[in-house]
Amino acid sequence: FTLLNAGATNNTSLTVGIDTSSAGNKTGTATINLTSNGAGTSGLGTTALTSQTVNVTGDVYRLASASAHTPEPVVFANRHVGDAASQALSLTNTAANDGFSERLNATIGGVTGNAVSNNGSFALLDAGATDNSSVTVGINTSTAGHKVGTATISLASDGAGTSGFSAFSLGTQTVNVS
C-alpha cells in the first residue's frame, strides 16, 4: 500500500501464510519494507524506514487415509439354513505415522440385498494402525438360495488428539457379499 495517512490503519493489503503443500511444523519470516512518503504532505519525497520482520509458524496436518477394506469381495462357502456367516473386515489408516496425520473413523451399515452387518465401528485409528475386528459383514441364511448384497463403510478423518479439527468425511467403500 502507499500513502497511508498518519494514524490510519491498513489491515487488508499485507498478508502472510504458510506452505500447506506438505505436512509438518512450518516456520519462516516475512520482511515488511517501510518508506516514509511526503507526497501530499511535506513534499520531502521518500525516506527509507527500518524494516519489520514478521515471524510465521504453524502446523500442517494431513487427513487420515483409509486402505481398501479386505477381503473384497466377501464370498462365503456353502452354508445350511440358519448357519452363522460372518467375516471381519480389515482397514488400515495409511497416512504417514509422523505426528502430523489425523486419525481414521469407520462405521459399517447401509446393507442391501441379503447382506448383514454388525453395525460396528471404530474411532481414532492412529496413522499406520490397522483394525481387523470392529466392522463385520455377513449373509442372511434364514432361507435357502443364492444370496448377494452389499454393505457400506463410511469413513472420516478425525483431528481429535492431533490437529484439533472436527471429523471430515472421506467418503464410503462398498463391500460386496455373496
Side-chain angles (χ1 to χ4, degrees), residues 13-135:
S13 296
L14 302 178
T15 60
V16 296
I18 56 174
D19 178 2
T20 61
S21 64
S22 63
N25 178 266
K26 306 294 182 166
T27 62
T29 60
T31 302
I32 302 172
N33 295 313
L34 302 168
T35 304
S36 177
N37 188 335
T41 58
S42 69
L44 294 175
T46 59
T47 304
L49 302 174
T50 304
S51 63
Q52 294 181 6
T53 300
V54 179
N55 295 309
V56 182
T57 62
D59 291 334
V60 178
Y61 286 84
R62 69 181 62 79
L63 295 173
S65 179
S67 67
H69 63 275
T70 57
E72 173 59 34
V74 176
V75 179
F76 292 99
N78 292 339
R79 302 275 202 248
H80 288 113
V81 170
D83 282 353
S86 178
Q87 172 68 54
L89 301 174
S90 179
L91 279 163
T92 300
N93 182 353
T94 60
N97 187 8
D98 61 1
F100 291 98
S101 294
E102 291 187 339
R103 295 176 173 149
L104 181 65
N105 298 345
T107 303
I108 192 164
V111 295
T112 66
N114 301 113
V116 296
S117 82
N118 68 341
N119 294 315
S121 64
F122 61 79
L124 304 178
L125 184 66
D126 288 328
T130 300
D131 183 291
N132 56 15
S133 62
S134 298
V135 293

Side-chain angles (χ1 to χ4, degrees), residues 1-10 39-41:
F1 58 85
T2 60
L3 301 177
L4 184 64
N5 290 329
T9 301
N10 181 312
T41 58

